[in-house]
Amino acid sequence: SGAAAPPRAPAVRQAAPSSAQTAVDLNLVLAIDASGSVDDDRFELQKQGYVKAFFTDRILNAIKAGNEQAIAVTMVQWTGPTLQVVMVPWMIIRDVQSARQFGAAVGASTRQIYGGGTSISGVIDFSANLLRTSPFRGARKVIDISGDGSNNLGRPVEIARDEAVRQGIRINGLPILSLENDLDLYYRQNVIGGPGAFVVTARNYDVFADAILRKLVAEISQKDPAPEAPKYAGK
């Protein structure tokens, strides 16, 4: 029946030409809240926080510390169970120019959905699919969800989280405590998942940019996020 197939070569760091996939240290989905509780000013504060972060040296230094010295990032806005829009498609970041290109793309993107409930489960499912179809081959897969409310539409968030974790995806959270004072606890118990998953809290929208930078550096470098002011004294 012809010659036997050659033995499969062991996995190596280069991508197979047929797949045309570039290897990166991290495939990262940034998912920002566009639900009814987020007015245009708050939406813009979320966006500008990310713009500022990708123009800092700290992000690039974290990327340069990785094996591939590159990450791939996409940004999504989300509300209800089927209301998610890609704001910035997958882009690879490996140097100052590409980091600033991504930041500029975020800054130039527009809000396309308003209201429709808060379906964290919906955006987890949507983001998991983006990771499955990413044109880049990431050593790690992370969904990064920021929002100011708990899941109130769609399937239970814990089910979506557990399915994503089984696919090797880590979910980190950036709860904004403007409306729900204990949203950080909700995120810890119900939203984040996977080895090393963490929450970085923004007490309000005005400090969102600082929280984003701490979180992004931690996600890229795989180190614990920089300490934040404790919410609960004596712990």
Side-chain angles (χ1 to χ4, degrees):
S1 60
R8 287 182 64 173
V12 291
R13 289 196 16 173
Q14 67 189 42
S18 60
S19 69
Q21 282 190 317
T22 302
V24 293
D25 291 306
L26 171 67
N27 270 338
L28 176 62
V29 179
L30 304 174
I32 67 172
D33 193 348
S35 61
S37 57
V38 179
D39 61 22
D40 285 342
D41 288 342
R42 289 175 168 181
F43 187 81
E44 192 64 23
L45 280 170
Q46 289 185 87
K47 265 181 47 180
Q48 293 306 320
Y50 281 103
V51 172
K52 182 179 177 182
F54 280 96
F55 273 75
T56 67
D57 289 339
R58 286 181 62 192
I59 293 289
L60 204 58
N61 291 340
I63 292 172
K64 289 297 186 185
N67 291 332
E68 305 294 344
Q69 299 190 357
I71 66 171
V73 191
T74 183
M75 178 170 277
V76 174
Q77 56 186 275
W78 61 275
T79 62
T82 59
L83 293 171
Q84 304 92 17
V85 175
V86 173
M87 298 166 62
V88 181
W90 285 109
M91 293 178 63
I92 192 164
I93 300 175
R94 60 168 82 249
D95 52 27
V96 171
Q97 181 180 7
S98 50
R100 291 183 174 179
Q101 282 175 342
F102 183 83
V106 172
S109 64
T110 58
R111 183 172 187 172
Q112 298 178 57
I113 43 180
Y114 298 81
T118 301
S119 182
I120 301 174
S121 57
V123 75
I124 289 175
D125 293 339
F126 183 81
S127 299
N129 187 60
L130 285 178
L131 287 166
R132 281 192 297 273
T133 58
S134 168
F136 304 104
R137 186 162 50 86
R140 293 179 288 124
K141 297 179 286 187
V142 174
I143 302 170
D144 174 354
I145 301 173
S146 60
D148 66 5
S150 49
N151 195 77
N152 61 24
L153 276 179
R155 66 180 183 148
V157 65
E158 300 86 354
I159 294 176
R161 173 199 63 195
D162 293 347
E163 284 187 12
V165 168
R166 283 196 294 271
Q167 297 169 43
I169 296 169
R170 186 171 81 181
I171 302 169
N172 296 328
L174 202 167
I176 306 159
L177 308 187
S178 297
L179 303 175
E180 299 181 29
N181 287 332
D182 289 332
L183 189 62
D184 54 335
L185 298 179
Y186 175 83
Y187 264 63
R188 290 182 202 281
Q189 293 169 2
N190 304 286
V191 177
I192 69 170
F198 62 83
V199 165
V200 169
T201 302
R203 288 181 296 284
N204 55 53
Y205 280 89
D206 294 330
V207 297
F208 188 75
D210 293 334
I212 281 173
L213 184 57
R214 280 203 316 273
K215 181 173 56 57
L216 284 171
V217 169
E219 279 165 346
I220 295 165
S221 65
Q222 297 194 80
K223 296 177 181 177
D224 290 333
E228 53 191 298
K231 185 181 170 206
Y232 306 105
K235 293 291 185 184

